[in-house]
Amino acid sequence: MPVITGLELSYFLILGALVVTAAAAVHMPGDLTAVIILSVFSVLSTVVFALLQAVDVAMAEAVIGAGFMTALFVTAIGKTRRSAGGKR
């Protein structure tokens, strides 16, 4: 019977958390909540890439995925809610 090391266990836990956050983001009723959960997904992806020693990919994912895309989505949600509220 193979022995699972601590590093393998951390991979399984993080990959399981990725699946849970992806499913949660799809099923969230609110847009802003889904964007925040997708940001958590991106941070977990960054950790996976760093554990796999792909530091350049991890840095790109952290900057683009967790930083820029989250800010872009939050700004877009804020602007569409304000414009939709102004027309009613």
Side-chain angles (χ1 to χ4, degrees):
M1 186 160 129
V3 176
I4 297 177
T5 63
L7 187 60
E8 290 173 345
L9 183 62
S10 65
Y11 284 144
F12 290 132
L13 290 175
I14 293 171
L15 291 176
L18 280 171
V19 171
V20 169
T21 55
V26 170
H27 296 326
M28 280 296 138
D31 294 336
L32 192 58
T33 308
V35 167
I36 292 170
I37 291 176
L38 283 175
S39 177
V40 172
F41 180 88
S42 183
V43 170
L44 289 172
S45 297
T46 301
V47 171
V48 169
F49 291 136
L51 286 175
L52 293 173
Q53 297 179 353
V55 182
D56 53 343
V57 179
M59 291 294 291
E61 178 65 28
V63 170
I64 297 169
F68 179 70
M69 291 306 292
T70 301
L72 182 70
F73 285 148
V74 168
T75 303
I77 289 170
K79 287 189 181 270
T80 54
R81 283 187 181 166
R82 269 189 261 134
S83 66
K87 291 181 180 179
R88 289 182 183 179

